[in-house]
Amino acid sequence: MGLVNRDEYEKLRTKALELFDKANIILTEEEKDNVEVADFGLGKIENTGLQVVTYVNTDLVCAKELALLPDQTCPEHKHPTREFDDGKEETFRCRYGKVFLYVEGKPAENLSAQPPEGDGQYYTVFNEIILKPGEQYTIYPNTIHWFKAGSDGAVVSEFSTRSTDEDDIFTDPRIKRIPEKIL
Amino acid sequence: MGLVNRDEYEKLRTKALELFDKANIILTEEEKDNVEVADFGLGKIENTGLQVVTYVNTDLVCAKELALLPDQTCPEHKHPTREFDDGKEETFRCRYGKVFLYVEGKPAENLSAQPPEGDGQYYTVFNEIILKPGEQYTIYPNTIHWFKAGSDGAVVSEFSTRSTDEDDIFTDPRIKRIPEKIL
């Protein structure tokens, strides 16, 4: 299963553990053995991917640690309304490195931010939020966002409502959010 | 307001920051300046108290870091049903030191754990859970619990549903859970 083969999985897992170590995050052996590697189905995981350790995911609360390789991107997506709530709400707190976070916002008052005359295409205006260690940002449900690590990679703690990755809606229709844990 | 005077607050804040530092937790200057110190109204805070940094507390999700001084105890309490939910659910993850957590459980099969004949008093049976760095435990609503740090103190990350400390029910009727942030 999955698009990541075992060698690639081991390589990414090792890199993720190095990042967690730089962030001084202590994991159990079981957590270390089961780092989730998500390649989003694009087959270029060192550019577009994410390494994840999920501490807890109950009906109500989820906490994860995310490791991003240098310049690695988690692609544009949103967390839509679900049967049991209005969609996942999540707070990202940077622990190591730097994270460039782009969150759907309102068009600026400034006219240059408006779609050009006659363009006719819908486009999303993003606010850029740069998170350094100790800084955080909360993303509410149904809000389009994406993020990218700086050149040293990044470690981010995520505090959220229940996580159901399979519900996420990605802007790029080629993307499938399948956990790529190879066992 | 509060039973902790400014000097005592500063002393406890400094000790909490030392513990967060040992756990390699990076805080903003604002977070460092505003560590919450809870003495539970008992006036013996180094025995019964808690130091807290709240990262986020929305309608749905809360994340905190707790610092416990050596042998300091957070006294027996539970999180009751609230207007908007069944009560606070919380996961404690140890980051530094050792935490002795006592959680209401079922009486053991073993007869010696039953109330002595003729005692007639209600009593709670607790399970002991010892958390070392990287270990965690989830406490569901309406479950009586208390916890105590080991001799080096402890740092614990708490991932929970919305936190409303004023709703907590303490077994000791003298306790008031008032945030003792002296400004």
Side-chain angles (χ1 to χ4, degrees):
Chain A
M1 64 162 273
L3 298 169
V4 180
N5 67 36
R6 171 153 283 286
D7 285 351
E8 203 169 15
Y9 173 77
E10 269 310 318
K11 185 177 141 196
L12 292 160
R13 190 180 76 90
T14 303
K15 288 189 179 193
L17 294 180
E18 285 167 9
L19 285 160
F20 289 133
D21 200 50
K22 285 182 181 171
N24 293 296
I25 286 173
I26 298 172
L27 301 173
T28 62
E29 291 308 310
E30 194 185 343
E31 288 166 339
K32 287 181 195 171
D33 287 345
N34 290 285
V35 174
E36 180 196 339
V37 170
D39 85 341
F40 301 104
L42 297 181
K44 46 172 189 171
I45 193 161
E46 300 212 17
N47 294 309
T48 307
L50 199 57
Q51 293 66 230
V52 184
V53 170
T54 299
Y55 289 151
V56 61
N57 188 20
T58 72
D59 285 353
L60 298 171
V61 175
C62 180
K64 298 178 179 180
E65 301 288 0
L66 315 179
L68 289 127
L69 309 186
D71 302 311
Q72 197 181 31
T73 295
C74 176
E76 190 180 311
H77 67 285
K78 66 176 181 176
H79 305 290
T81 306
R82 299 177 284 193
E83 270 183 30
F84 53 89
D85 71 2
D86 295 335
K88 186 184 178 213
E89 173 200 297
E90 57 194 17
T91 296
F92 292 129
R93 184 175 177 98
C94 180
R95 303 290 192 167
Y96 169 80
K98 201 182 271 189
V99 182
F100 297 85
L101 174 61
Y102 299 88
V103 180
E104 177 185 14
K106 288 185 183 153
E109 295 293 321
N110 152 5
L111 278 178
S112 67
Q114 304 300 319
E117 196 84 44
D119 173 317
Q121 282 205 311
Y122 171 76
Y123 77 115
T124 306
V125 176
F126 286 96
N127 294 318
E128 182 185 65
I129 298 115
I130 300 176
L131 299 178
K132 285 171 290 188
E135 296 175 342
Q136 64 181 39
Y137 191 84
T138 299
I139 297 165
Y140 290 93
N142 275 297
T143 307
I144 298 173
H145 60 285
W146 63 280
F147 52 96
K148 183 183 163 100
S151 55
D152 295 328
V155 173
V156 176
S157 296
E158 180 184 312
F159 315 121
S160 75
T161 52
R162 191 204 308 188
S163 180
T164 55
D165 295 330
E166 63 279 14
D167 290 325
D168 295 351
I169 296 175
F170 286 86
T171 306
D172 182 338
R174 296 170 302 164
I175 291 177
K176 282 198 186 261
R177 178 65 174 89
I178 316 163
E180 297 288 345
K181 196 175 69 182
I182 314 291
L183 290 178
Chain B
M1 62 162 272
L3 298 169
V4 181
N5 67 35
R6 172 152 284 287
D7 285 352
E8 203 169 12
Y9 173 76
E10 270 308 320
K11 185 178 140 199
L12 292 160
R13 190 180 75 89
T14 302
K15 288 189 179 191
L17 295 181
E18 285 166 9
L19 284 161
F20 289 135
D21 200 48
K22 284 181 182 170
N24 293 296
I25 286 173
I26 299 172
L27 302 172
T28 63
E29 290 308 310
E30 195 185 342
E31 287 166 339
K32 288 181 194 171
D33 287 345
N34 290 284
V35 173
E36 180 196 339
V37 171
D39 85 342
F40 301 105
L42 296 181
K44 46 170 188 171
I45 192 161
E46 301 212 19
N47 295 309
T48 307
L50 199 57
Q51 294 67 230
V52 185
V53 170
T54 300
Y55 289 151
V56 61
N57 189 19
T58 72
D59 285 353
L60 298 172
V61 175
C62 181
K64 298 178 178 179
E65 301 289 359
L66 315 178
L68 289 127
L69 309 186
D71 302 311
Q72 197 181 31
T73 295
C74 175
E76 189 181 312
H77 66 286
K78 65 175 181 174
H79 305 291
T81 306
R82 301 178 284 194
E83 270 183 30
F84 53 89
D85 70 5
D86 296 334
K88 186 186 178 211
E89 171 199 298
E90 56 195 16
T91 296
F92 292 129
R93 185 175 176 97
C94 181
R95 302 289 195 168
Y96 169 79
K98 202 182 271 189
V99 182
F100 297 85
L101 174 61
Y102 299 88
V103 180
E104 176 186 12
K106 288 185 183 154
E109 295 294 322
N110 151 7
L111 277 178
S112 67
Q114 304 301 318
E117 197 81 43
D119 173 318
Q121 281 203 313
Y122 171 76
Y123 76 117
T124 307
V125 176
F126 287 95
N127 294 318
E128 182 185 65
I129 298 116
I130 301 175
L131 298 178
K132 285 172 288 186
E135 297 174 344
Q136 63 181 41
Y137 192 84
T138 299
I139 297 164
Y140 290 93
N142 275 297
T143 306
I144 299 174
H145 60 284
W146 63 281
F147 51 96
K148 183 183 164 102
S151 55
D152 295 328
V155 172
V156 176
S157 296
E158 180 185 311
F159 316 121
S160 75
T161 52
R162 193 204 307 188
S163 179
T164 56
D165 295 330
E166 64 279 13
D167 289 325
D168 295 352
I169 296 176
F170 287 86
T171 306
D172 183 337
R174 297 169 302 163
I175 291 177
K176 283 198 187 254
R177 177 67 174 88
I178 316 162
E180 297 288 346
K181 196 175 71 185
I182 315 288
L183 290 178

